Amino acid sequence: MIRDYLQPRLGGLALSELSVGKVQGAFTALLRANALRSRPLSPTTLQRVREVLRAALNGAIRRGLITSNPARWVELPSARRPRAVVWTEARVELWHRTGERPAVAVWTAEQTAMFLDQVRDHQLYPLYHVAALLGLRRGEAVGLRWCDVDLANRTLSVVRQLVERDGRGVCLPKTDASCRTVALDRGTTALLRRLARQDPSGDWVFSHGGGRSWSPSYVSRTFRVLASEADLPPIRFHDLRHGAATLSLAAGNELRVVQALLGHSSIVLTADTYTSVLPCLAQQAADATAALVRRAGYQRGAKINKVVVPRQRSGSSRAQLVAVGN
């Protein structure tokens, strides 16, 4: 963010020359350039660029280099977190007809299974399989090493991510919240065992060309191509993470289990961002709610209709109480 967005517009200014007007002007120029990009930056990314600058200038304030932070007053478009939606049949039909697609979308379980089946013979299949089922970020999957995998206990540990800088991969430590241990299902464990036998001396779990790690950008580009060849509606590689959370919920797992799977520090973040509701879940919830109301109505009706009324029996002066109900 500093290299691509801040230095080109503010790098030539001394701290004493920074003003609210100059900083706002730099971001206004960034917004104008962004409108011409083939893949514009999201409002969230623009907000993060500002936060990087604001954090740096707060450091300058602590050191007594400046007295106020001009980045604090920069005005940018509001950054609403996009809600992921599911590629239902209706949305797929609209996409085929008009090309319209949601900003963030996830595949259904059937679509995910179709993709994995289509790419089963591709060399990146194991990586896509793990990402789709476990919700690993791209850098976490690419940066996974065999020392992080415990096949005997069926777990893997996320302790780093591999990011791309100037065309090469750089390992960075994860935050405390993102460092986590993830349980493996039997199928994924068997897949990783086969992968380990193919390259027993390798360091990276997903590697090529003599044990080299995959380029993160290549993983994403290849994913887009393979998804298109499978004639599936488009999603980003990162949307596999959204999908893993959604599918975990559909399988009946609790929200806290999904939170641990994704490595979120707050369950609110998990609920707000990554847990799109699949149509089957929404239908089950609607049916369960309606059934609850019907049961309550039945019980109430039974109590109302269970009325005690007197009735004279023929030949008897004594009244018998008769209960009438449903």
Side-chain angles (χ1 to χ4, degrees), residues 253-325:
N253 295 321
E254 296 182 355
L255 194 58
R256 289 202 175 276
V257 174
V258 179
Q259 177 193 1
L261 176 71
L262 299 177
H264 286 162
S265 58
S266 168
I267 198 170
V268 175
L269 177 62
T270 308
D272 187 52
T273 309
Y274 289 104
T275 52
S276 307
V277 180
L278 288 172
C280 62
L281 282 182
Q283 192 64 58
Q284 291 170 8
D287 290 342
T289 302
L292 178 64
V293 174
R294 284 196 301 270
R295 286 196 300 270
Y298 176 85
Q299 293 170 359
R300 177 176 173 79
K303 290 179 180 179
I304 292 175
N305 292 326
K306 195 171 184 180
V307 182
V308 178
V309 296
R311 187 178 68 185
Q312 286 294 123
R313 291 187 62 182
S314 176
S316 172
S317 60
R318 191 172 50 147
Q320 181 183 21
L321 297 183
V322 180
V324 181

Side-chain angles (χ1 to χ4, degrees), residues 1 41-49 77-82:
M1 291 182 179
L41 303 176
S42 68
T44 300
T45 299
L46 292 170
Q47 293 283 356
R48 287 174 179 166
V49 173
S78 61
R80 290 187 176 181
R81 191 182 300 277

Side-chain angles (χ1 to χ4, degrees), residues 51-219:
E51 289 306 311
V52 168
L53 177 61
R54 186 173 176 178
L57 296 181
N58 281 338
I61 292 175
R62 288 192 296 270
R63 289 164 177 78
L65 301 176
I66 55 177
T67 58
S68 63
N69 192 331
R72 177 182 178 185
W73 309 106
V74 171
E75 295 181 0
L76 290 174
S78 61
R80 290 187 176 181
R81 191 182 300 277
R83 294 295 186 103
V85 299
V86 180
W87 274 114
T88 59
E89 290 184 5
R91 287 196 178 98
V92 172
E93 190 278 330
L94 180 65
W95 166 66
H96 278 302
R97 183 161 43 87
T98 67
E100 180 180 335
R101 54 179 291 187
V104 180
V106 298
W107 286 333
T108 62
E110 292 76 14
Q111 291 164 343
T112 303
M114 182 184 300
F115 172 77
L116 293 178
D117 185 62
Q118 289 284 336
V119 303
R120 190 169 297 276
D121 296 328
H122 195 277
Q123 55 186 344
L124 278 173
Y125 165 73
L127 188 151
Y128 294 142
H129 174 103
V130 168
L133 268 64
L134 304 182
L136 269 61
R137 298 177 179 89
R138 182 182 68 175
E140 294 171 345
V142 173
L144 196 64
R145 300 168 64 184
W146 283 115
C147 60
D148 306 322
V149 180
D150 185 349
L151 293 175
N153 293 309
R154 295 199 296 149
T155 63
L156 64 80
S157 299
V158 178
V159 295
R160 73 184 62 80
Q161 63 178 345
L162 194 67
V163 300
E164 201 161 352
R165 287 183 178 172
D166 300 324
R168 63 187 182 89
V170 179
C171 276
L172 296 177
K174 296 299 298 175
T175 64
D176 290 342
S178 296
C179 289
R180 61 197 186 276
T181 299
V182 180
L184 302 175
D185 62 275
R186 297 185 184 279
T188 301
T189 303
L191 173 65
L192 293 178
R193 286 188 191 279
R194 292 194 298 271
L195 202 61
R197 288 196 294 269
Q198 292 174 11
D199 188 13
S201 61
D203 188 22
W204 304 99
V205 174
F206 308 113
S207 62
H208 70 107
R212 290 179 297 166
S213 62
W214 288 100
S215 160
S217 59
Y218 178 78
V219 169

